[in-house]
Amino acid sequence: MSEDGGAADPALLQDALRGFVRAFGLHQPESTPCGQAIPVSEAHALGELAQEGELRQVELARRLRLQKSTVSRLVGQLTARGWVERAPAPDDGRGVVLRLTSSGQKAAHNLADARREKFSRLLDAIPPHEREGVLHALGVLTEALDE
Amino acid sequence: MSEDGGAADPALLQDALRGFVRAFGLHQPESTPCGQAIPVSEAHALGELAQEGELRQVELARRLRLQKSTVSRLVGQLTARGWVERAPAPDDGRGVVLRLTSSGQKAAHNLADARREKFSRLLDAIPPHEREGVLHALGVLTEALDE
DNA sequence: CGACATGGTTCGACGGTACAACCAGATGGT
DNA sequence: ACCATCTGGTTGTACCGTCGAACCATGTCG
């Protein structure tokens, strides 16, 4: 168990990640994480749509790393709420283009506010001199996971 | 670098975390993450039990940050697999003490191996000079979440 | 034009969690 | 001793969230 930087124990990484996952509550369905009455998966979709303006359904699936069947249902829920409109893709007869309704934009805005509030509090809880390191580390970790 | 001491954008943290969560696949039920045919919530419980030897059910709930009803069901699944035994608590007529069966210990061992293998690969994908920083950052983040 | 690939939908299944109602054993005050 | 209350567990119900497979419609390529 030498702790030279290059041969760190996988168990340490495991423990660190496990602790983080539990503390973040990621293993529970995380109902409405931000005070808004909106399931978390819908929030993810809403965020992507708000950011992109228009999105092909298949592209949304790619970004959320979900199956097309899952996304189909998800979009169904969002349209049921009146937040998203499905339109036929102009360049592909099979495709569906998603767009936020004005009501959906409003919801996305509220959500963004609540989320910013939440993360702002989290950020405050991190010692200032650690913040940059945490951001950097998350990037590194995500990159490593993508291999 | 400098400049962000206290005024770092929460949006950066949010993006970083969102990317990490999706890349890690934490928003999907994560069936048998390690090749073992075992649901992830059972794996968590198994890990705790393997580490502690004996555990009161209520204590397991506390560690996993789950409701007692959820844990009751979870333990039921594990006993159905023959991995866990429920025994009445000696000092409290209501309580239940959980212990791994020998079969359960074997399963926990296999699981630990697979998990170590997985995290070892992840660790390999992190540039050596970043590893220490990543571990540290996860700790900081978990601590911040606990407030 | 036929074989195959791709985008979507629907169906059925399962994992995972919470809350509420309920029971039984523990606790503490009067 | 007694009753109110607390606590650990179990069970029922409901919901979120995901997947795979079957299916249809459209595109694409030889």
Side-chain angles (χ1 to χ4, degrees), chain B residues 90-105:
Chain B
D91 57 333
D92 189 329
R94 307 163 291 179
V96 165
V97 172
L98 306 173
R99 201 175 322 140
L100 291 181
T101 64
S102 57
S103 163
Q105 287 177 11

PDB file of all heavy atoms in Angstrom, chain B residues 90-105:
ATOM      1  N   PRO B  90     -30.072  -9.565  20.392  1.00  0.00           N
ATOM      2  CA  PRO B  90     -30.057 -10.087  21.759  1.00  0.00           C
ATOM      3  C   PRO B  90     -30.497  -9.044  22.784  1.00  0.00           C
ATOM      4  O   PRO B  90     -31.120  -9.394  23.789  1.00  0.00           O
ATOM      5  CB  PRO B  90     -28.586 -10.475  21.968  1.00  0.00           C
ATOM      6  CG  PRO B  90     -27.825  -9.663  20.985  1.00  0.00           C
ATOM      7  CD  PRO B  90     -28.727  -9.452  19.814  1.00  0.00           C
ATOM      8  N   ASP B  91     -30.187  -7.807  22.521  1.00  0.00           N
ATOM      9  CA  ASP B  91     -30.443  -6.773  23.522  1.00  0.00           C
ATOM     10  C   ASP B  91     -31.706  -5.974  23.255  1.00  0.00           C
ATOM     11  O   ASP B  91     -32.014  -5.024  23.961  1.00  0.00           O
ATOM     12  CB  ASP B  91     -29.250  -5.813  23.579  1.00  0.00           C
ATOM     13  CG  ASP B  91     -28.988  -5.216  22.209  1.00  0.00           C
ATOM     14  OD1 ASP B  91     -29.336  -5.879  21.206  1.00  0.00           O
ATOM     15  OD2 ASP B  91     -28.461  -4.098  22.123  1.00  0.00           O
ATOM     16  N   ASP B  92     -32.428  -6.347  22.208  1.00  0.00           N
ATOM     17  CA  ASP B  92     -33.624  -5.587  21.871  1.00  0.00           C
ATOM     18  C   ASP B  92     -34.583  -6.489  21.104  1.00  0.00           C
ATOM     19  O   ASP B  92     -34.307  -6.891  19.977  1.00  0.00           O
ATOM     20  CB  ASP B  92     -33.244  -4.364  21.031  1.00  0.00           C
ATOM     21  CG  ASP B  92     -34.417  -3.424  20.848  1.00  0.00           C
ATOM     22  OD1 ASP B  92     -35.574  -3.904  20.808  1.00  0.00           O
ATOM     23  OD2 ASP B  92     -34.192  -2.210  20.750  1.00  0.00           O
ATOM     24  N   GLY B  93     -35.690  -6.777  21.725  1.00  0.00           N
ATOM     25  CA  GLY B  93     -36.645  -7.728  21.166  1.00  0.00           C
ATOM     26  C   GLY B  93     -37.189  -7.337  19.813  1.00  0.00           C
ATOM     27  O   GLY B  93     -37.689  -8.172  19.069  1.00  0.00           O
ATOM     28  N   ARG B  94     -37.137  -6.057  19.487  1.00  0.00           N
ATOM     29  CA  ARG B  94     -37.656  -5.623  18.192  1.00  0.00           C
ATOM     30  C   ARG B  94     -36.630  -5.792  17.100  1.00  0.00           C
ATOM     31  O   ARG B  94     -36.949  -6.058  15.950  1.00  0.00           O
ATOM     32  CB  ARG B  94     -38.033  -4.146  18.251  1.00  0.00           C
ATOM     33  CG  ARG B  94     -38.944  -3.769  19.357  1.00  0.00           C
ATOM     34  CD  ARG B  94     -38.923  -2.272  19.564  1.00  0.00           C
ATOM     35  NE  ARG B  94     -37.660  -1.799  20.103  1.00  0.00           N
ATOM     36  CZ  ARG B  94     -37.395  -0.524  20.359  1.00  0.00           C
ATOM     37  NH1 ARG B  94     -38.289   0.395  20.096  1.00  0.00           N
ATOM     38  NH2 ARG B  94     -36.243  -0.178  20.870  1.00  0.00           N
ATOM     39  N   GLY B  95     -35.391  -5.590  17.470  1.00  0.00           N
ATOM     40  CA  GLY B  95     -34.325  -5.439  16.492  1.00  0.00           C
ATOM     41  C   GLY B  95     -33.994  -6.698  15.721  1.00  0.00           C
ATOM     42  O   GLY B  95     -34.326  -7.799  16.120  1.00  0.00           O
ATOM     43  N   VAL B  96     -33.316  -6.496  14.605  1.00  0.00           N
ATOM     44  CA  VAL B  96     -32.850  -7.598  13.767  1.00  0.00           C
ATOM     45  C   VAL B  96     -31.363  -7.397  13.524  1.00  0.00           C
ATOM     46  O   VAL B  96     -30.923  -6.296  13.201  1.00  0.00           O
ATOM     47  CB  VAL B  96     -33.590  -7.623  12.423  1.00  0.00           C
ATOM     48  CG1 VAL B  96     -32.883  -8.514  11.429  1.00  0.00           C
ATOM     49  CG2 VAL B  96     -35.024  -8.070  12.611  1.00  0.00           C
ATOM     50  N   VAL B  97     -30.624  -8.479  13.715  1.00  0.00           N
ATOM     51  CA  VAL B  97     -29.197  -8.439  13.417  1.00  0.00           C
ATOM     52  C   VAL B  97     -28.953  -9.160  12.105  1.00  0.00           C
ATOM     53  O   VAL B  97     -29.445 -10.267  11.907  1.00  0.00           O
ATOM     54  CB  VAL B  97     -28.367  -9.103  14.539  1.00  0.00           C
ATOM     55  CG1 VAL B  97     -26.920  -9.230  14.119  1.00  0.00           C
ATOM     56  CG2 VAL B  97     -28.499  -8.313  15.818  1.00  0.00           C
ATOM     57  N   LEU B  98     -28.205  -8.530  11.240  1.00  0.00           N
ATOM     58  CA  LEU B  98     -27.921  -9.117   9.933  1.00  0.00           C
ATOM     59  C   LEU B  98     -26.507  -9.674   9.921  1.00  0.00           C
ATOM     60  O   LEU B  98     -25.582  -9.068  10.455  1.00  0.00           O
ATOM     61  CB  LEU B  98     -28.047  -8.044   8.854  1.00  0.00           C
ATOM     62  CG  LEU B  98     -29.385  -7.299   8.842  1.00  0.00           C
ATOM     63  CD1 LEU B  98     -29.347  -6.154   7.851  1.00  0.00           C
ATOM     64  CD2 LEU B  98     -30.523  -8.240   8.542  1.00  0.00           C
ATOM     65  N   ARG B  99     -26.370 -10.809   9.291  1.00  0.00           N
ATOM     66  CA  ARG B  99     -25.041 -11.395   9.137  1.00  0.00           C
ATOM     67  C   ARG B  99     -24.982 -12.098   7.796  1.00  0.00           C
ATOM     68  O   ARG B  99     -25.965 -12.683   7.346  1.00  0.00           O
ATOM     69  CB  ARG B  99     -24.759 -12.384  10.259  1.00  0.00           C
ATOM     70  CG  ARG B  99     -23.271 -12.631  10.456  1.00  0.00           C
ATOM     71  CD  ARG B  99     -23.055 -13.529  11.650  1.00  0.00           C
ATOM     72  NE  ARG B  99     -24.013 -13.192  12.721  1.00  0.00           N
ATOM     73  CZ  ARG B  99     -24.617 -14.109  13.468  1.00  0.00           C
ATOM     74  NH1 ARG B  99     -24.394 -15.385  13.272  1.00  0.00           N
ATOM     75  NH2 ARG B  99     -25.464 -13.733  14.414  1.00  0.00           N
ATOM     76  N   LEU B 100     -23.835 -12.047   7.159  1.00  0.00           N
ATOM     77  CA  LEU B 100     -23.663 -12.752   5.895  1.00  0.00           C
ATOM     78  C   LEU B 100     -23.569 -14.251   6.153  1.00  0.00           C
ATOM     79  O   LEU B 100     -22.932 -14.680   7.111  1.00  0.00           O
ATOM     80  CB  LEU B 100     -22.389 -12.288   5.189  1.00  0.00           C
ATOM     81  CG  LEU B 100     -22.381 -10.866   4.644  1.00  0.00           C
ATOM     82  CD1 LEU B 100     -21.056 -10.586   3.949  1.00  0.00           C
ATOM     83  CD2 LEU B 100     -23.536 -10.644   3.689  1.00  0.00           C
ATOM     84  N   THR B 101     -24.198 -15.023   5.309  1.00  0.00           N
ATOM     85  CA  THR B 101     -23.966 -16.465   5.323  1.00  0.00           C
ATOM     86  C   THR B 101     -22.625 -16.718   4.643  1.00  0.00           C
ATOM     87  O   THR B 101     -22.011 -15.801   4.096  1.00  0.00           O
ATOM     88  CB  THR B 101     -25.069 -17.183   4.538  1.00  0.00           C
ATOM     89  OG1 THR B 101     -24.981 -16.775   3.176  1.00  0.00           O
ATOM     90  CG2 THR B 101     -26.436 -16.838   5.088  1.00  0.00           C
ATOM     91  N   SER B 102     -22.178 -17.948   4.672  1.00  0.00           N
ATOM     92  CA  SER B 102     -20.904 -18.229   4.001  1.00  0.00           C
ATOM     93  C   SER B 102     -21.065 -17.979   2.511  1.00  0.00           C
ATOM     94  O   SER B 102     -20.153 -17.464   1.847  1.00  0.00           O
ATOM     95  CB  SER B 102     -20.472 -19.676   4.275  1.00  0.00           C
ATOM     96  OG  SER B 102     -21.475 -20.568   3.852  1.00  0.00           O
ATOM     97  N   SER B 103     -22.217 -18.329   2.003  1.00  0.00           N
ATOM     98  CA  SER B 103     -22.499 -18.046   0.594  1.00  0.00           C
ATOM     99  C   SER B 103     -22.468 -16.543   0.327  1.00  0.00           C
ATOM    100  O   SER B 103     -21.973 -16.092  -0.708  1.00  0.00           O
ATOM    101  CB  SER B 103     -23.865 -18.632   0.238  1.00  0.00           C
ATOM    102  OG  SER B 103     -24.340 -18.062  -0.950  1.00  0.00           O
ATOM    103  N   GLY B 104     -22.982 -15.791   1.287  1.00  0.00           N
ATOM    104  CA  GLY B 104     -22.982 -14.342   1.146  1.00  0.00           C
ATOM    105  C   GLY B 104     -21.577 -13.771   1.194  1.00  0.00           C
ATOM    106  O   GLY B 104     -21.243 -12.825   0.479  1.00  0.00           O
ATOM    107  N   GLN B 105     -20.753 -14.366   2.030  1.00  0.00           N
ATOM    108  CA  GLN B 105     -19.368 -13.902   2.107  1.00  0.00           C
ATOM    109  C   GLN B 105     -18.651 -14.137   0.787  1.00  0.00           C
ATOM    110  O   GLN B 105     -17.863 -13.312   0.330  1.00  0.00           O
ATOM    111  CB  GLN B 105     -18.639 -14.612   3.242  1.00  0.00           C
ATOM    112  CG  GLN B 105     -19.083 -14.116   4.613  1.00  0.00           C
ATOM    113  CD  GLN B 105     -18.412 -14.869   5.742  1.00  0.00           C
ATOM    114  OE1 GLN B 105     -17.465 -15.632   5.521  1.00  0.00           O
ATOM    115  NE2 GLN B 105     -18.914 -14.661   6.956  1.00  0.00           N
TER     116      GLN B 105
END
